[in-house]
Amino acid sequence: MDHLSTTFAALADPTRRAILARLSSGECTVTELAEPFEMSMPAISKHLKVLERAGLIARGREAQWRPCRIDGAPLKEVADWVSHYRRFWEESFDRLDVYLRELQKKKKSKEKTNARNRNKR
Amino acid sequence: MDHLSTTFAALADPTRRAILARLSSGECTVTELAEPFEMSMPAISKHLKVLERAGLIARGREAQWRPCRIDGAPLKEVADWVSHYRRFWEESFDRLDVYLRELQKKKKSKEKTNARNRNKR
């Protein structure tokens, strides 16, 4: 599997993204990581291995205390990849903006017509 | 599966990302999309279905000519998600920068010492 595919596959899981979110506030051990999740240690370890293989986390060398930390490099690749598509979400917001302005305009012109009709009476 | 996981899973394939890259230069039909890939139509259709389910592409309503186009909304979610981790790749570049500056400094001070030693001889 190519590198970017491995990264996307690793991120396609809410528990693994929650692990990254936890690590974003500082490095911690596997035991500390497992605490907020109702999961067995082997299940957590499996998720950590997927993240490690994708290069998303790195682990300390000390045998007993092997703190995990985020490695930003693959996340930068994701950010670079997605940035090429920016105009596709900006365009859709532009279209929504145009639509809302048109609605507003119609509403105003309707109010004017109503006001004019009221004055005529 | 949650929405963001579905998006990441859909993006974890080089062919599907190539399809998005092709669509980024304009909407096109399934036949046009299949051309550059050495793949059968059913294989391409399967990839398109994954992209469509993730909301990454939308297809026209005309029965015969159903052009595909990118829908940017899920890509915006990816961009928003990854932006929370920006400091992790900026930090690693900062660390690299500090390291390179230190190397440079060491190199310069070594050159100075060498020059001084040469002058003493």
Side-chain angles (χ1 to χ4, degrees), chain A residues 95-109:
Chain A
R95 275 201 301 272
L96 182 65
D97 197 44
V98 168
Y99 174 71
L100 292 176
R101 269 163 211 260
E102 273 170 17
L103 269 190
Q104 201 69 23
K105 229 189 274 176
K106 274 184 198 161
K107 202 183 149 204
K108 271 186 192 163
S109 83

Side-chain angles (χ1 to χ4, degrees), chain B residues 19 23 26-34 41 44-45 48-49 51-53 57-70:
Chain B
I19 290 174
L23 288 176
E27 54 180 45
C28 53
T29 63
V30 179
T31 322
E32 286 168 331
L33 271 178
M41 288 293 282
I44 288 288
S45 290
L48 290 178
K49 255 176 214 151
L51 290 170
E52 210 177 346
R53 259 202 304 271
I57 62 166
R59 302 189 62 182
R61 294 223 186 107
E62 298 79 8
Q64 297 273 321
W65 159 268
R66 295 194 59 199
C68 305
R69 58 171 181 79
I70 291 178

Side-chain angles (χ1 to χ4, degrees), chain B residues 92-107:
Chain B
S92 60
F93 281 107
D94 285 349
R95 275 201 302 272
L96 183 66
D97 196 46
V98 168
Y99 174 72
L100 292 176
R101 270 164 212 262
E102 273 170 16
L103 267 190
Q104 201 68 25
K105 233 189 270 177
K106 274 184 197 161
K107 203 184 149 204

Side-chain angles (χ1 to χ4, degrees), chain A residues 1-2 4-5 8-9 11-14 17 20-21 23-24 70 72 75-76 78-79 81-82 85 87-89 93, chain B residues 1-2 4-5 8-9 11-14 17 20-21 23-24 70 72 75-76 78-79 81-82 85 87-89 93:
Chain A
M1 219 196 226
D2 65 280
L4 197 51
S5 297
F8 279 130
L11 296 175
D13 181 278
R17 291 199 305 280
L20 290 178
L23 288 175
S24 75
I70 290 178
L75 294 170
K76 185 183 186 303
V78 169
W81 181 86
V82 84
Y85 295 89
R87 64 190 163 95
F88 288 98
W89 65 81
F93 281 107
Chain B
M1 221 197 226
D2 64 281
L4 198 50
S5 297
F8 279 129
L11 296 176
D13 181 278
R17 292 198 305 279
L20 290 179
L23 288 176
S24 75
I70 291 178
L75 294 169
K76 186 182 187 303
V78 169
W81 181 86
V82 83
Y85 295 89
R87 63 192 164 95
F88 288 98
W89 66 80
F93 281 107

